[in-house]
Amino acid sequence: MKIKLNSWSSVALWKWVVTDEEDVCGICRNQFDRCCPSCKIPGDDCPLVWGQCTHCFHLHCMIKWLQTESSNQACPMDRRPWVYLTGDPTTQDSQQQQQEQQQEQQL
Amino acid sequence: MKVYFLKKNNFIISYIHFNFKINNNNNNNNIIIFFLKKDIPTLAINFDLEWNRLKIAMDAIFNTAPLSDSLEGLYTLCENLCKYDYSSSLYQNIRNELIEYLKQEFINISKKLDEQNFLVSLSYLWTSFCKKLIMIRSIFLYLDRTYALREVKAGSLWSLGLELFKTYVANVSNIRIKAINELLALIEIDRQKKFITGEEENKYILLRTIIKMFIDLNMYEDFENAFLEASTIFYKKESRLYINKISMSTNSGQLIAEYLQSVETYLNEEVERCNLGCYNGYVDSVTRKSVTLIVENEMIKSYINIILEKGFEYLISSKAYNDLLRLYNLINRVDLLESLRIYFLNYIKKTGSFYVLDSSKDPVMVQSLLDFKKDLDDVLEQSFNNNDKFVNTVKEGFEIFINERQNKPAELISKYIDNKLRQVRSIPEETVEQLQERCMFLFRFINGKDVFEAYYKKDLSKRLLLFSKSINIELEKSMIAKLKDECGGGYTSKLEGMFKDMSVSKDLINDFIKEPEYSSRIGNVSLNVNVLTSGFWPSYPQSTYNMPQELLECQNAFSDFYLKSHSGRVLQWQNSLGFCVLKADFPKGAKELIVSLAQAIILLHFNNTDVLSYSEIETLSQMNTKELKKSLQSLSCGKYKVLIKNTEGKNVVESDSFVFNKEFESNLRVLKINSIQAKESLEERKTTREKVIKDRQYQIDAAIVRIMKARKTISHPILLSELFKQLKFSITPQDIKIRIESLIERDYIKRDLSNNTIYHYVL
Ligand SMILES: [Zn+2]
Ligand SMILES: [Zn+2]
Ligand SMILES: [Zn+2]
């Protein structure tokens, strides 16, 4: 071996798993790579949450929404009862797509 | 009742002692003292005879001849005459004698009126008269202290003498006018410094004597008025001469400096002149203020515009701080500092624009401005007394010229700081800190602070990701702290986020190493991963390479480790960032090569063969043409030729092929070949600029939505004024109109149906 890799200082960017980079939070309408209106900086401190309905929001937006009377503890996008998704939303991607396809077919 | 007569010092004083009862109850003794003014004459005295002796003595004094009687005898004579009630006649006779004497003297002197040394004669007359008067007074002291003091309006013999002298000076053949004119002529010669050497002292004594005479005769005002009038004429003429010379000269700046110097000299001379205690002073100090005011008005106030126009820029740009101080002080005396300030401001604007607007000077703009600021600080300190108004003028000037050109100054200031922070090892820490402080002065006035932030962020990201080993984290943080102080926490939160990412990443890699499940997959490679939060960092173009297995496994192992504990996220590898350290076993010595990932990929392929053609490398690495060419060029045409290109020339073309350089040698053990990464390409700058524009749009949108959410309904002008208030960069109404249209399109707001200058928030 003439050439050997000794060390590597590499760089990676972490992003929220959202289908489209231009996607916005359904509550505050900010893009997901920006933070919710009550925060100043995006990232670890303003995390996203997913519901079992697969909709995604800023955690802070969701908490605020659920505190309002009109929320009825439902997802603001589809009015289904809001249940936090535990686990990795990435594995739900395929489910979500299937669901969407089913919905489209139904329509 | 007892009466006592006491004799004491020729004065006979009688005490009469009464002792009687005022009333029956009181037995007090009361003493009443009579002062008997007059002795009772025992012998008759012949006044004319006695007076004649006194008159002879007076004549002798007038003729400066010796006295025939002793002073004591004469004194007693006078005393006796007074006691015999001849005081009034005595006084009258003395007065007549004085008049007689002065009449003759003034007849004599008026004949010398046109003689050259008239003033000397007058001075002689005056001084000798004073001496004579003193002698006369000592003879008639008794009269002076008794009768003259009490009964005569004119008062003492001294006053009488001066009063008489004054009448002659005032009335005889224009002696007063002549004397004043002579004085003024002498003063003019003195002002021109044309006294004959050796004679100055006599001239000063002469001037002082005559002027003192005017003071003693209570005629100083006559002199003063004439003196001030002459001074006005003199300084009017003097300044006009200078100014004419200056306006015709090509070297007017230097002449102004000389002019100011001579004004200062004139002022000092006038102050000395108006000080009777000074060796060359002869005018009373009450005149000082008026005469210096004349110098100031005639020489400075009348020509303030010419002085500033012809002199200011020359003095300040030639750093003649002493001359500037003189200028400042002189202008301050005539209360025209505001004019000076305007010239100062214009100079700052002009000079600053010169540095800022000419793009050919961009490489030295920031250094020039910092040096300029330093010079101005020197001016403020050394010449302008650190006057607050002038200190603020510097700020005012900088704010105006630095914003005459949009964006570029902000970009260059960021670049300048970046450059210093990259060289922290060769510059002392305090110096860097000072430079930061000085750059903050410039930064403070920039309207587009978001432009600065964008460039600063970009430069900081390179420092953190490419030079993490050579930066000084304390200095980095001190700069952030300064920006935070200036613009608040919101401004620096993302920059601080970058530092946070760095330290979180350090913890992550430590955890990664502790988990053999993942870390064992990467072999002996020392891996570091900087995990960036996407909102904090500038965006970089995505580069995809076909990676050798060992590199790919590094990324996969870390991704698996990271995502296990961070659900809901993805990792995007930034292949154009970061760097690798390779160990290359050249036959003439092993070297450590610091290279970009792209360079590393290319070099690693040479482990299997010595020669690779361009197209082979392209196939193996799947790199885009531009990146591949750039990387190969830096490996084969740069300072360290690790690969040998089969053709000559500095550029790489598709037909080239490359050989691993077995002959490579270098004195250094560690070679840095990745410097192309650190250089900022034109595209990068363009992206940064575009990013700023996009960011501004986002900020305008966010501000509009914020306002609409609060107000629900708003008219166009009020919305505009709110936006101008909230947004920290300069925007045009046109910019805002475009954003409003876009928001209407996206259904955030809508126009009122009947009035299209009113907007409603869409709930
Ligand atoms: Zn939200
Ligand atoms: Zn938040
Ligand atoms: Zn939902």
Side-chain angles (χ1 to χ4, degrees):
Chain A
M1 287 278 270
K2 289 175 284 197
I3 293 168
K4 201 175 137 282
L5 178 67
N6 264 1
S7 71
W8 182 15
S9 179
S10 68
V11 178
L13 202 63
W14 75 261
K15 289 183 167 183
W16 297 111
V17 182
V18 280
T19 33
D20 184 352
E21 291 212 0
E22 298 286 314
D23 256 3
V24 295
C25 165
I27 300 171
C28 72
R29 289 174 173 180
N30 280 350
Q31 281 175 20
F32 282 123
D33 63 353
R34 303 192 184 268
C35 57
C36 79
S38 22
C39 287
K40 288 222 165 70
I41 49 170
D44 283 328
D45 297 333
C46 186
L48 303 189
V49 285
W50 283 263
Q52 278 182 355
C53 61
T54 75
H55 284 120
C56 172
F57 307 95
H58 292 112
L59 171 64
H60 300 138
C61 293
M62 197 59 209
I63 291 171
K64 253 193 194 162
W65 163 253
L66 292 176
Q67 281 165 354
T68 60
E69 271 182 42
S70 53
S71 76
N72 290 323
Q73 304 302 302
C75 168
M77 304 301 276
D78 53 24
R79 295 278 154 190
R80 285 159 61 180
W82 177 260
V83 186
Y84 284 109
L85 179 71
T86 48
D88 193 345
T90 34
T91 54
Q92 308 278 322
D93 262 8
S94 48
Q95 293 178 19
Q96 185 190 352
Q97 274 161 15
Q98 280 170 9
Q99 279 176 351
E100 277 172 6
Q101 277 167 7
Q102 280 168 8
Q103 282 170 358
E104 273 169 27
Q105 280 165 5
Q106 283 164 6
L107 290 165
Chain B
M1 178 171 135
K2 291 170 197 166
V3 178
Y4 303 89
F5 292 92
L6 301 165
K7 189 168 185 195
K8 194 187 173 199
N9 293 343
N10 298 328
F11 291 90
I12 311 269
I13 300 163
S14 311
Y15 292 92
I16 303 164
H17 192 185
F18 295 88
N19 189 2
F20 60 96
K21 276 182 181 167
I22 292 178
N23 57 50
N24 294 335
N25 302 331
N26 214 321
N27 230 3
N28 282 348
N29 287 342
N30 295 304
I31 300 168
I32 294 169
I33 299 164
F34 289 88
F35 180 71
L36 297 184
K37 205 166 56 182
K38 292 172 232 168
D39 204 4
I40 301 150
T42 51
L43 281 167
I45 199 165
N46 183 335
F47 175 77
D48 291 337
L49 208 69
E50 304 297 348
W51 162 248
N52 205 40
R53 280 174 65 196
L54 289 166
K55 182 179 151 37
I56 289 168
M58 271 182 88
D59 285 342
I61 289 170
F62 286 143
N63 295 319
T64 351
L67 294 175
S68 46
D69 285 297
S70 73
L71 265 175
E72 210 182 352
L74 292 166
Y75 175 90
T76 317
L77 204 54
C78 164
E79 183 183 349
N80 284 340
L81 286 175
C82 291
K83 285 176 184 162
Y84 282 93
D85 213 5
Y86 290 118
S87 293
S88 167
S89 317
L90 193 54
Y91 190 88
Q92 205 51 51
N93 285 7
I94 295 166
R95 187 169 185 273
N96 291 339
E97 282 303 307
L98 287 170
I99 289 171
E100 213 38 52
Y101 168 72
L102 286 171
K103 198 190 214 167
Q104 193 53 48
E105 288 297 317
F106 274 89
I107 289 170
N108 294 344
I109 204 167
S110 60
K111 286 178 192 152
K112 297 181 185 164
L113 214 53
D114 296 322
E115 283 178 21
Q116 275 230 313
N117 53 359
F118 162 74
L119 218 47
V120 178
S121 308
L122 181 63
S123 147
Y124 179 76
L125 171 59
W126 165 250
T127 43
S128 69
F129 176 71
C130 290
K131 272 186 220 149
K132 287 165 183 176
L133 195 58
I134 288 167
M135 279 180 81
I136 289 166
R137 190 186 54 168
S138 67
I139 291 170
F140 298 101
L141 197 60
Y142 188 85
L143 176 76
D144 203 38
R145 292 213 177 137
T146 55
Y147 173 81
L149 208 62
R150 282 196 303 271
E151 317 259 328
V152 189
K153 216 172 142 199
S156 68
L157 292 174
W158 176 255
S159 318
L160 173 70
L162 295 191
E163 191 60 39
L164 295 171
F165 198 94
K166 180 179 177 178
T167 330
Y168 285 98
V169 172
N171 298 325
V172 177
S173 315
N174 293 329
I175 284 191
R176 181 180 53 109
I177 292 165
K178 177 70 182 172
I180 288 175
N181 286 345
E182 289 285 300
L183 281 175
L184 297 180
L186 272 183
I187 293 171
E188 171 133 3
I189 297 173
D190 185 26
R191 275 178 174 152
Q192 293 167 338
K193 296 167 199 69
K194 282 181 182 163
F195 280 148
I196 298 165
T197 325
E199 271 190 14
E200 301 99 331
E201 196 169 351
N202 285 336
K203 298 288 185 197
Y204 290 136
I205 291 170
L206 179 61
L207 282 159
R208 202 176 303 141
T209 309
I210 304 289
I211 290 170
K212 266 186 148 168
M213 179 191 86
F214 277 97
I215 296 171
D216 287 342
L217 298 179
N218 227 345
M219 297 169 77
Y220 182 72
E221 228 174 274
D222 292 354
F223 163 77
E224 189 186 37
N225 290 338
F227 171 71
L228 293 176
E229 204 176 301
S231 301
T232 308
I233 294 166
F234 178 82
Y235 287 112
K236 240 189 187 84
K237 201 179 80 193
E238 205 62 16
S239 55
R240 196 178 305 128
L241 265 166
Y242 266 111
I243 295 294
N244 282 345
K245 206 167 100 191
I246 288 164
S247 25
M248 285 187 299
S249 166
T250 48
N251 186 20
S252 50
Q254 184 53 41
L255 289 179
I256 290 284
E258 287 166 20
Y259 178 70
L260 296 171
Q261 238 161 39
S262 64
V263 175
E264 193 180 69
T265 310
Y266 278 133
L267 282 168
N268 290 337
E269 283 170 4
E270 292 305 335
V271 169
E272 281 184 13
R273 197 184 321 287
C274 297
N275 179 359
L276 286 165
C278 188
Y279 134 81
N280 52 354
Y282 44 81
V283 177
D284 196 278
S285 58
V286 296
T287 315
R288 185 185 302 153
K289 217 177 157 191
S290 316
V291 75
T292 49
L293 192 68
I294 288 170
V295 182
E296 288 157 11
N297 282 343
E298 294 305 330
M299 303 203 77
I300 300 294
K301 204 172 191 170
S302 302
Y303 296 106
I304 183 75
N305 287 328
I306 293 182
I307 292 170
L308 288 171
E309 185 65 42
K310 303 262 182 190
F312 182 73
E313 201 171 323
Y314 170 82
L315 294 180
I316 197 166
S317 56
S318 56
K319 302 190 182 177
Y321 298 144
N322 284 335
D323 291 314
L324 274 182
L325 173 64
R326 188 171 294 121
L327 179 72
Y328 175 90
N329 284 333
L330 290 172
I331 292 181
N332 191 20
R333 292 174 75 136
V334 295
D335 211 13
L336 286 174
L337 281 185
E338 181 59 18
S339 306
L340 176 62
R341 199 190 67 80
I342 299 287
Y343 271 85
F344 187 47
L345 176 63
N346 288 338
Y347 170 76
I348 295 169
K349 286 196 288 192
K350 188 176 145 190
T351 314
S353 305
F354 172 78
Y355 293 132
V356 166
L357 293 180
D358 181 353
S359 58
S360 74
K361 293 199 182 59
D362 285 354
V364 294
M365 183 205 287
V366 176
Q367 190 59 54
S368 306
L369 293 180
L370 292 178
D371 293 344
F372 182 44
K373 168 66 170 51
K374 207 169 197 176
D375 289 346
L376 292 173
D377 283 345
D378 287 345
V379 173
L380 290 173
E381 160 124 21
Q382 294 180 36
S383 305
F384 293 165
N385 209 9
N386 276 329
N387 181 324
D388 281 349
K389 277 191 182 159
F390 285 74
V391 172
N392 288 330
T393 302
V394 173
K395 294 178 186 161
E396 188 185 342
F398 269 75
E399 176 154 23
I400 295 169
F401 75 68
I402 216 162
N403 289 306
E404 276 176 351
R405 188 159 164 210
Q406 290 298 306
N407 306 339
K408 200 70 191 181
E411 180 188 334
L412 292 177
I413 294 167
S414 163
K415 276 265 110 49
Y416 183 87
I417 298 171
D418 175 54
N419 191 275
K420 299 298 170 197
L421 286 172
R422 281 190 195 185
Q423 297 177 44
V424 281
R425 286 191 169 167
S426 53
I427 310 174
E429 205 166 298
E430 308 93 288
T431 317
V432 177
E433 179 113 40
Q434 280 164 10
L435 281 169
Q436 288 177 349
E437 195 54 62
R438 290 168 61 199
C439 286
M440 285 306 293
F441 178 83
L442 302 179
F443 168 78
R444 208 159 284 153
F445 303 116
I446 284 175
N447 283 341
K449 296 207 165 44
D450 51 344
V451 179
F452 178 88
E453 191 210 349
Y455 283 104
Y456 193 82
K457 183 199 258 188
K458 198 156 165 32
D459 296 334
L460 174 62
S461 107
K462 283 201 173 171
R463 289 201 298 279
L464 292 176
L465 299 177
L466 292 175
F467 304 98
S468 53
K469 290 199 176 89
S470 58
I471 61 169
N472 179 329
I473 206 79
E474 289 309 312
L475 285 173
E476 292 288 352
K477 292 203 165 154
S478 95
M479 187 64 208
I480 302 293
K482 288 183 173 72
L483 293 170
K484 196 172 183 172
D485 271 357
E486 188 63 36
C487 302
Y491 187 74
T492 50
S493 56
K494 288 181 185 172
L495 300 174
E496 287 172 289
M498 291 164 76
F499 286 99
K500 199 179 149 208
D501 279 352
M502 293 304 282
S503 69
V504 168
S505 299
K506 206 173 253 170
D507 296 343
L508 276 172
I509 204 72
N510 285 336
D511 293 347
F512 171 79
I513 291 164
K514 280 183 209 143
E515 292 201 36
E517 186 195 344
Y518 303 101
S519 56
S520 65
R521 287 162 60 182
I522 65 167
N524 290 327
V525 178
S526 155
L527 179 69
N528 178 49
V529 182
N530 288 312
V531 183
L532 316 183
T533 305
S534 65
F536 298 164
W537 299 73
S539 49
Y540 291 96
Q542 282 297 113
S543 303
T544 49
Y545 310 140
N546 186 22
M547 293 222 259
Q549 190 51 42
E550 55 175 324
L551 289 169
L552 202 58
E553 190 53 24
C554 284
Q555 289 188 339
N556 289 341
F558 188 82
S559 284
D560 292 348
F561 159 78
Y562 180 80
L563 295 176
K564 178 197 66 166
S565 52
H566 295 81
S567 59
R569 301 184 182 193
V570 279
L571 277 186
Q572 256 178 25
W573 292 92
Q574 304 288 300
N575 291 334
S576 65
L577 298 169
F579 57 91
C580 300
V581 181
L582 302 179
K583 184 162 174 277
D585 283 323
F586 295 106
K588 292 188 172 174
K591 300 289 171 200
E592 269 189 21
L593 309 178
I594 300 175
V595 292
S596 69
L597 178 61
Q599 290 170 325
I601 291 169
I602 294 167
L603 287 177
L604 284 169
H605 284 300
F606 280 87
N607 273 330
N608 310 320
T609 169
D610 281 340
V611 188
L612 282 170
S613 72
Y614 176 91
S615 50
E616 282 169 327
I617 299 171
E618 191 176 32
T619 316
L620 285 168
S621 68
Q622 296 290 311
M623 248 173 243
N624 73 51
T625 313
K626 212 173 148 192
E627 223 166 343
L628 180 58
K629 280 186 176 172
K630 218 166 71 175
S631 303
L632 280 169
Q633 189 185 27
S634 57
L635 290 169
S636 64
C637 310
K639 198 169 165 191
Y640 307 114
K641 295 180 178 59
V642 184
L643 298 180
I644 295 173
K645 187 161 68 98
N646 68 338
T647 58
E648 295 285 312
K650 285 276 175 194
N651 289 317
V652 170
V653 291
E654 272 92 347
S655 56
D656 284 336
S657 66
F658 301 86
V659 188
F660 183 73
N661 184 1
K662 285 183 174 152
E663 301 299 313
F664 186 85
E665 55 185 333
S666 166
N667 295 330
L668 300 170
R669 195 182 57 81
V670 182
L671 308 170
K672 227 166 142 55
I673 314 181
N674 65 337
S675 56
I676 39 162
Q677 276 183 295
K679 286 205 190 94
E680 190 185 37
S681 66
L682 281 172
E683 286 149 71
E684 272 185 275
R685 280 192 202 194
K686 212 178 125 210
T687 9
T688 308
R689 259 195 300 276
E690 281 164 0
K691 174 91 192 335
V692 172
I693 293 167
K694 215 178 142 195
D695 238 62
R696 283 186 176 180
Q697 288 181 355
Y698 170 76
Q699 284 189 54
I700 300 171
D701 288 1
I704 295 175
V705 171
R706 222 171 22 244
I707 294 165
M708 293 305 297
K709 213 170 183 174
R711 301 265 196 130
K712 306 294 183 234
T713 294
I714 202 168
S715 74
H716 188 72
I718 293 173
L719 179 60
L720 281 194
S721 75
E722 280 292 314
L723 285 170
F724 287 132
K725 237 186 285 169
Q726 290 192 15
L727 296 167
K728 285 185 180 112
F729 45 86
S730 50
I731 33 164
T732 64
Q734 192 52 40
D735 295 335
I736 296 176
K737 230 174 175 169
I738 294 169
R739 297 325 303 159
I740 291 174
E741 291 305 329
S742 156
L743 286 169
I744 290 172
E745 238 169 65
R746 285 182 286 153
D747 258 356
Y748 282 86
I749 56 177
K750 63 179 182 204
R751 274 209 174 81
D752 190 273
L753 290 173
S754 55
N755 182 346
N756 67 356
T757 64
I758 287 174
Y759 308 111
H760 300 286
Y761 183 61
V762 179
L763 290 168

